[in-house]
Amino acid sequence: MSSRVPIRFLDAGLGTTLESPPHNAKFQADSSLWSSDFLITSPDTLSQVHNAFVDAGADILLTATYQASLEGFAATRKSQWTKFNSDSYKETGGSTSAGKPEAKEGDTYGFEEAAAYMRKAVPLAKQAIASKHPNMFKSTSKGVALSLGAYGATMQPSTEYSGEYEPGNMRTVQGLADWHERRLRIFQDDTATWDEVDYVSFETLPVLQEVQAVRKVMSKYNSVDHPKPWWISCVFPNDDLTLPDGSPVSAVAEAMLETSDSGGARPWGIGINCTDIKKLNSLILQYESSAEKVLGRDSTREQWPWLVNYPDGAQGSVYNTETKQWEIDPEMKAKGPQRPWHEELAEIVTETAERGRWKGILVGGCCKTTPDSIRQLRSRLASKDSDALFLESD
């Protein structure tokens, strides 16, 4: 293994990029699908965004399935969204959730229709990568990651930032494993779709039981003969650097990496997403300390997973899960302009690589980051005079 740490680039915030020019999408507060709506209404728009991220230097694209679920499609009326032009979406056939009439039979998406739309997301992303990198099938650094958000991301309102899952089965490891298994099998059971998936990403997990649940699922469905690299990333909205359920990083890392009989498959990568970049360096240091305790002080880089980091670019804004809008935090606004996101993240990645623990680093952006964010980040890291890292796809 090279002494230098390989760097791969993920894309950035799909939903918030769709909300930005030139697309200017308007997501309704009662939408159950968010960016996955575009799988129904405008797959061409998704292709445009995927292509923009590839042109910006992304090596790996996440599919437009983060909030997609059978329940979400079942709650979406076929008459709910009509595309009028390439710049905006307007709601027809009813008011918002407060007064929306009950859907009539046949006006919502059943299993077969929902599954077909969800699977469509994979070739859309694959085509964008392949159009720029026709030899990608010979590369391990390019590919498509199946985006599977937390169970809470599919709820209305979403609860992946609070971890407030309804009491009962969905607060147990087995209940969450059953739910994730049903969704994963939509892709895994279709050979043509599954063959085009290069990575599997379980994102924005807010509760410890869900980390344990997805490891349980991947133990069952990640083929020993043809295993796919997969990662778990968690969200840390709390000021004390804990999960929304209060779990410390030490417990998170142990749940991700421990190898007891109940631990399940060990992921290819672990990390952090949709978290304020100001917290990122402290979180990574805690991940490293905790991972060393699990893997052993004498463990080599080859035995460590990849570190996966894609913090948000909110720059002081806070996401309101009720309205699905970003709101300015008055305290952050009062502090004045912040350091550019790409500069701060490039510095964190470089310092992390120089410590030489992780097998590799996958880095990108989450909410409020765009293709320009990835272009600037890649350029910044390419200009770094460091012997500790190299951009794997260069």
Side-chain angles (χ1 to χ4, degrees), residues 6 88 92 120 150 169 212 297 367:
S88 64
T92 61
K120 182 194 292 187
N169 201 36
Q212 297 164 333
R297 184 180 298 274
C367 298

Side-chain angles (χ1 to χ4, degrees), residues 36-47:
S36 298
D37 274 321
F38 282 74
L39 294 170
I40 303 171
T41 55
S42 186
D44 286 346
T45 302
L46 287 176
S47 293

Side-chain angles (χ1 to χ4, degrees), residues 43-62:
D44 286 346
T45 302
L46 287 176
S47 293
Q48 291 170 22
V49 176
H50 286 324
N51 283 319
F53 279 120
V54 175
D55 289 341
D59 300 311
I60 298 170
L61 295 179
L62 287 158

Side-chain angles (χ1 to χ4, degrees), residues 110 137 160 184 217 221 284 300 323 332 368 375 379 386 390:
F137 303 103
E160 73 266 47
L184 181 66
V217 172
Y221 284 99
I284 292 172
T300 65
T323 64
M332 294 300 296
K368 304 296 282 185
R375 183 177 293 107
S379 176
S386 175
F390 69 101

Side-chain angles (χ1 to χ4, degrees), residues 8 59-61 63 122 125-127 129-130 136-146 193-201 218 222 226-231 268:
R8 296 178 192 172
D59 300 311
I60 298 170
L61 295 179
T63 57
V122 177
K126 197 78 167 191
Q127 289 160 13
I129 289 275
M136 66 167 290
F137 303 103
K138 300 178 183 178
S139 170
T140 59
S141 65
K142 308 290 183 188
V144 169
L146 177 62
T193 300
W194 192 244
D195 284 348
E196 291 199 318
V197 172
D198 302 295
Y199 300 82
V200 179
S201 167
M218 289 304 284
N222 203 18
H226 303 286
K228 295 184 186 293
W230 64 287
W231 73 79
W268 169 89

Side-chain angles (χ1 to χ4, degrees), residues 31-319:
S31 170
S32 299
L33 298 177
W34 204 39
S35 56
S36 298
D37 274 321
F38 282 74
L39 294 170
I40 303 171
T41 55
S42 186
D44 286 346
T45 302
L46 287 176
S47 293
Q48 291 170 22
V49 176
H50 286 324
N51 283 319
F53 279 120
V54 175
D55 289 341
D59 300 311
I60 298 170
L61 295 179
L62 287 158
T63 57
T65 50
Y66 172 75
Q67 282 186 306
S69 68
L70 294 173
E71 296 90 340
F73 274 94
T76 300
R77 290 178 293 120
K78 295 179 181 179
S79 58
Q80 181 174 349
W81 296 95
T82 300
K83 182 156 187 310
F84 286 87
N85 55 60
S86 61
D87 295 326
S88 64
Y89 286 75
K90 297 180 181 179
E91 186 178 20
T92 61
S95 60
T96 60
S97 57
K100 184 187 294 184
E102 288 187 12
K104 297 179 181 179
E105 184 176 355
D107 192 36
T108 61
Y109 297 91
F111 175 85
E112 293 299 335
E113 288 178 298
Y117 278 120
M118 291 166 72
R119 290 168 183 155
K120 182 194 292 187
V122 177
L124 280 176
K126 197 78 167 191
Q127 289 160 13
I129 289 275
S131 65
K132 181 121 179 137
H133 304 285
N135 295 321
M136 66 167 290
F137 303 103
K138 300 178 183 178
S139 170
T140 59
S141 65
K142 308 290 183 188
V144 169
L146 177 62
S147 173
L148 301 173
Y151 168 70
T154 68
M155 296 175 66
Q156 283 297 318
S158 60
T159 60
E160 73 266 47
Y161 302 110
S162 67
E164 294 177 357
Y165 292 3
E166 63 265 32
N169 201 36
M170 298 313 291
R171 289 192 180 181
T172 69
V173 172
Q174 188 59 54
L176 288 164
D178 290 343
W179 184 86
H180 278 281
E181 179 179 347
R182 284 194 297 273
R183 181 172 60 174
L184 181 66
R185 286 194 60 179
I186 291 170
F187 304 93
Q188 202 264 352
D189 284 351
D190 186 81
T191 302
T193 300
W194 192 244
D195 284 348
E196 291 199 318
V197 172
D198 302 295
Y199 300 82
V200 179
S201 167
F202 294 96
E203 309 178 90
T204 329
L205 304 191
V207 298
L208 205 62
Q209 291 95 328
E210 198 158 15
V211 172
Q212 297 164 333
V214 298
R215 288 190 66 185
K216 188 181 180 95
V217 172
M218 289 304 284
S219 293
K220 184 176 181 180
Y221 284 99
N222 203 18
S223 167
V224 174
D225 295 328
H226 303 286
K228 295 184 186 293
W230 64 287
W231 73 79
I232 304 172
S233 60
C234 287
V235 61
F236 294 87
N238 298 338
D239 291 336
D240 61 356
L241 305 183
T242 60
L243 286 187
D245 71 355
S247 299
V249 173
S250 58
V252 175
E254 182 177 350
M256 290 175 169
L257 296 173
E258 56 97 5
T259 56
S260 68
D261 291 341
S262 60
R266 179 176 282 176
W268 169 89
I270 65 172
I272 303 147
N273 78 292
C274 215
T275 295
D276 188 342
I277 195 170
K278 300 298 182 188
K279 303 174 183 177
L280 190 60
N281 195 51
S282 295
L283 285 166
I284 292 172
L285 289 170
Q286 288 192 37
Y287 262 84
E288 289 180 2
S289 175
S290 301
E292 185 177 276
K293 292 178 181 177
V294 176
L295 300 173
R297 184 180 298 274
D298 297 326
S299 57
T300 65
R301 266 187 51 217
E302 182 65 33
Q303 296 171 298
W304 277 54
W306 277 62
L307 176 66
V308 183
N309 285 317
Y310 41 123
D312 67 40
Q315 298 282 18
S317 297
V318 178
Y319 186 64

